[in-house]
Amino acid sequence: MKRTNPNFLNGVPELVVLRLLSQQEMYGYEIGKAIQSRTKDSFSFGEGCIYPLLHHLEQSRLVSSRRKEVGARSRYYYRLTARGIKRLTELSEEWKQVAACVSLLMEARHA
C-alpha cells in the first residue's frame, strides 16, 4: 500500500506551495496538479489540504489572490507577497538542515 502523505511530511505542503508560487502565479487546482506532476506522483495533496492552506497563507499575508475570469469560470490566482518570499527563504533553510541531518543519520554505520 502506497502512502502518499506520511506523517513526517507535516509542514511540507506549505514549503512546496510557497516554492511553486515563487515561480509563477497559480490557482488551487493547478497547484495540486503541479505538486503531483513535479514529484512524479510521489506527493499528492488534495483539495482538502491545498485550499485551507491557501486561505491560511492569505490570512497570514504570505500570499495574495486575485479573481480572474477564464472562459465561463472564475478562478482565484495566488502569488507570493514580500512576506511570503521571506517565509519561503526561512522554510527552505530549515528544510536543508533537516534533510542534511537525516542524511547523516541514514548514512551512519553501526558500531
Side-chain angles (χ1 to χ4, degrees):
M1 180 169 101
K2 181 180 175 185
R3 289 184 61 201
T4 56
N5 298 320
N7 291 334
F8 65 81
L9 289 180
N10 288 338
V12 171
E14 180 182 5
L15 174 62
V16 296
V17 167
L18 292 175
R19 175 67 176 131
L20 287 172
L21 293 177
S22 75
Q23 298 169 336
Q24 70 183 59
E25 181 180 71
M26 302 174 89
Y27 59 95
Y29 182 78
E30 181 181 24
I31 292 168
K33 286 299 178 188
I35 292 168
Q36 203 171 355
S37 171
R38 293 183 192 187
T39 65
K40 296 181 171 62
D41 294 320
S42 293
F43 290 168
S44 179
F45 301 119
E47 292 177 16
C49 173
I50 297 296
Y51 287 105
L53 176 58
L54 286 169
H55 295 147
H56 169 74
L57 294 174
E58 190 169 28
Q59 288 173 346
S60 302
R61 299 190 325 259
L62 300 175
V63 302
S64 62
S65 67
R66 69 180 176 99
R67 189 173 172 170
K68 182 177 176 183
E69 299 297 325
V70 180
R73 304 184 106 165
S74 177
R75 293 183 175 145
Y76 284 92
Y77 282 79
Y78 296 88
R79 64 184 167 278
L80 281 188
T81 62
R83 191 174 184 162
I85 293 168
K86 182 178 177 189
R87 176 72 174 149
L88 173 59
T89 301
E90 293 167 356
L91 287 175
S92 296
E93 288 305 313
E94 288 175 17
W95 178 256
K96 288 175 190 173
Q97 290 176 352
V98 168
C101 291
V102 170
S103 290
L104 287 173
L105 287 170
M106 297 304 292
E107 294 168 4
R109 306 228 182 254
H110 295 284

